[in-house]
Amino acid sequence: MASIFSKIISGEIPSFKIHEDDNFLAFLDINPNALGHTLCIPKKEIDQIFDLDDETLSELIVFSKKVANAIKKAVVCERVGMSVIGLEVPHVHVHLIPINNMDDMSFDTKISMTESQFNETMNKIKSYI
Ligand code: 5GP
Protein backbone atom coordinates (compact mmCIF):
# COMPACT_ATOMS: atom_id res chain seq x y z
CA MET A 1 0.00 0.00 0.00
CA ALA A 2 1.24 3.48 -0.90
CA SER A 3 2.58 5.55 2.02
CA ILE A 4 0.90 8.81 3.05
CA PHE A 5 3.83 10.59 1.43
CA SER A 6 3.42 8.71 -1.87
CA LYS A 7 -0.21 9.89 -1.80
CA ILE A 8 1.06 13.44 -1.28
CA ILE A 9 3.42 13.03 -4.28
CA SER A 10 0.54 11.83 -6.47
CA GLY A 11 -1.77 14.60 -5.23
CA GLU A 12 -4.25 12.13 -3.73
CA ILE A 13 -3.62 13.84 -0.36
CA PRO A 14 -3.29 17.65 -0.45
CA SER A 15 -0.18 19.37 0.88
CA PHE A 16 1.57 22.72 0.92
CA LYS A 17 4.28 22.03 -1.66
CA ILE A 18 7.46 24.09 -1.48
CA HIS A 19 9.64 22.61 -4.19
CA GLU A 20 9.72 19.60 -6.49
CA ASP A 21 11.91 18.02 -9.14
CA ASP A 22 11.85 14.64 -10.90
CA ASN A 23 13.08 12.72 -7.86
CA PHE A 24 12.31 14.78 -4.72
CA LEU A 25 9.55 16.82 -3.09
CA ALA A 26 9.52 19.35 -0.23
CA PHE A 27 6.28 20.25 1.58
CA LEU A 28 5.25 21.76 4.91
CA ASP A 29 4.83 19.38 7.85
CA ILE A 30 1.13 19.30 8.79
CA ASN A 31 1.92 19.24 12.54
CA PRO A 32 4.91 21.56 12.73
CA ASN A 33 7.39 22.09 15.54
CA ALA A 34 7.83 25.64 14.25
CA LEU A 35 6.64 27.89 11.45
CA GLY A 36 8.40 26.76 8.28
CA HIS A 37 8.91 23.13 9.39
CA THR A 38 9.37 21.34 6.08
CA LEU A 39 9.80 17.72 4.99
CA CYS A 40 12.02 16.71 2.06
CA ILE A 41 11.35 13.28 0.59
CA PRO A 42 12.56 11.12 -2.28
CA LYS A 43 9.75 10.14 -4.64
CA LYS A 44 11.08 6.61 -4.50
CA GLU A 45 9.24 4.99 -1.57
CA ILE A 46 11.93 3.61 0.74
CA ASP A 47 11.38 3.30 4.51
CA GLN A 48 14.80 4.01 6.04
CA ILE A 49 17.24 6.72 4.95
CA PHE A 50 20.34 4.55 5.11
CA ASP A 51 18.73 2.05 2.76
CA LEU A 52 18.82 4.67 -0.01
CA ASP A 53 21.42 4.10 -2.68
CA ASP A 54 24.38 6.50 -2.37
CA GLU A 55 23.35 8.66 -5.30
CA THR A 56 19.79 9.20 -4.04
CA LEU A 57 21.04 9.88 -0.50
CA SER A 58 23.53 12.48 -1.75
CA GLU A 59 20.94 14.12 -3.99
CA LEU A 60 18.40 14.22 -1.15
CA ILE A 61 20.88 16.15 1.01
CA VAL A 62 21.67 18.60 -1.81
CA PHE A 63 17.91 19.06 -2.46
CA SER A 64 17.38 19.62 1.30
CA LYS A 65 20.18 22.20 1.34
CA LYS A 66 18.44 24.23 -1.36
CA VAL A 67 15.16 24.15 0.59
CA ALA A 68 16.89 24.91 3.93
CA ASN A 69 18.59 27.99 2.46
CA ALA A 70 15.19 29.25 1.26
CA ILE A 71 13.63 28.58 4.70
CA LYS A 72 16.48 30.52 6.37
CA LYS A 73 15.69 33.55 4.19
CA ALA A 74 11.91 33.28 4.65
CA VAL A 75 11.66 32.62 8.39
CA VAL A 76 13.35 34.54 11.20
CA CYS A 77 15.55 32.00 13.00
CA GLU A 78 19.08 31.38 14.22
CA ARG A 79 19.54 28.44 11.84
CA VAL A 80 17.71 25.58 10.16
CA GLY A 81 18.04 22.28 12.02
CA MET A 82 17.89 18.94 10.25
CA SER A 83 16.56 15.71 11.71
CA VAL A 84 15.68 12.25 10.42
CA ILE A 85 13.38 10.09 12.53
CA GLY A 86 10.80 8.15 10.53
CA LEU A 87 9.00 6.35 13.34
CA GLU A 88 5.61 7.63 12.19
CA VAL A 89 5.79 7.50 8.40
CA PRO A 90 7.78 4.66 6.74
CA HIS A 91 8.88 6.77 3.78
CA VAL A 92 12.25 8.58 4.01
CA HIS A 93 11.90 12.22 5.06
CA VAL A 94 14.29 14.89 6.24
CA HIS A 95 12.81 17.35 8.74
CA LEU A 96 14.03 20.93 8.20
CA ILE A 97 13.11 23.03 11.23
CA PRO A 98 13.81 26.74 11.84
CA ILE A 99 15.40 26.88 15.32
CA ASN A 100 16.72 29.31 17.90
CA ASN A 101 17.68 26.80 20.61
CA MET A 102 17.92 23.06 21.25
CA ASP A 103 14.32 22.85 22.49
CA ASP A 104 13.07 23.88 19.05
CA MET A 105 14.29 20.51 17.74
CA SER A 106 12.14 18.71 20.32
CA PHE A 107 9.09 17.04 18.84
CA ASP A 108 7.27 17.57 22.16
CA THR A 109 6.41 21.16 21.30
CA LYS A 110 4.06 21.81 18.41
CA ILE A 111 2.48 24.96 17.02
CA SER A 112 -0.93 25.27 15.42
CA MET A 113 -1.27 27.06 12.11
CA THR A 114 -4.30 28.14 10.09
CA GLU A 115 -4.66 27.22 6.43
CA SER A 116 -3.86 30.80 5.46
CA GLN A 117 -0.69 30.75 7.58
CA PHE A 118 0.36 27.51 5.84
CA ASN A 119 -0.28 29.11 2.45
CA GLU A 120 1.55 32.32 3.37
CA THR A 121 4.56 30.36 4.72
CA MET A 122 4.63 28.08 1.66
CA ASN A 123 4.57 31.04 -0.73
CA LYS A 124 7.25 32.93 1.18
CA ILE A 125 9.66 29.97 1.24
CA LYS A 126 8.91 29.23 -2.44
CA SER A 127 9.83 32.79 -3.37
CA TYR A 128 13.40 32.15 -2.16
CA ILE A 129 13.96 28.84 -3.99
P1 5GP B 1 8.45 10.89 11.77
O1 5GP B 1 8.05 9.73 10.90
O2 5GP B 1 9.79 11.47 11.36
O3 5GP B 1 8.39 10.57 13.23
O4 5GP B 1 7.40 12.05 11.57
C1 5GP B 1 6.54 12.12 10.46
C2 5GP B 1 6.15 13.56 10.22
O5 5GP B 1 5.24 13.59 9.14
C3 5GP B 1 5.48 14.25 11.42
O6 5GP B 1 6.17 15.44 11.73
C4 5GP B 1 4.06 14.51 10.92
O7 5GP B 1 3.52 15.72 11.39
C5 5GP B 1 4.22 14.52 9.42
N1 5GP B 1 3.02 14.07 8.72
C6 5GP B 1 2.31 12.93 8.96
N2 5GP B 1 1.26 12.84 8.11
C7 5GP B 1 1.32 13.94 7.32
C8 5GP B 1 0.49 14.40 6.24
O8 5GP B 1 -0.49 13.78 5.84
N3 5GP B 1 0.87 15.58 5.66
C9 5GP B 1 1.97 16.29 6.06
N4 5GP B 1 2.23 17.44 5.42
N5 5GP B 1 2.76 15.88 7.07
C10 5GP B 1 2.43 14.73 7.70
Side-chain angles (χ1 to χ4, degrees), residues 86-116:
L87 288 170
E88 184 185 332
V89 180
H91 182 144
V92 173
H93 49 284
V94 171
H95 293 264
L96 298 176
I97 305 168
I99 59 171
N100 294 295
N101 55 58
M102 278 295 280
D103 287 344
D104 294 335
M105 285 304 285
S106 157
F107 286 76
D108 294 334
T109 311
K110 296 290 182 179
I111 62 161
S112 64
M113 287 172 65
T114 64
E115 187 169 351
S116 74

Side-chain angles (χ1 to χ4, degrees), residues 5 8 14-16 27-33 37-39 88 110-113 118:
F5 291 168
I8 284 176
S15 67
F16 299 93
F27 55 97
L28 293 177
D29 194 299
I30 204 67
N31 187 20
N33 292 20
H37 182 166
T38 298
L39 303 174
E88 184 185 332
K110 296 290 182 179
I111 62 161
S112 64
M113 287 172 65
F118 273 112

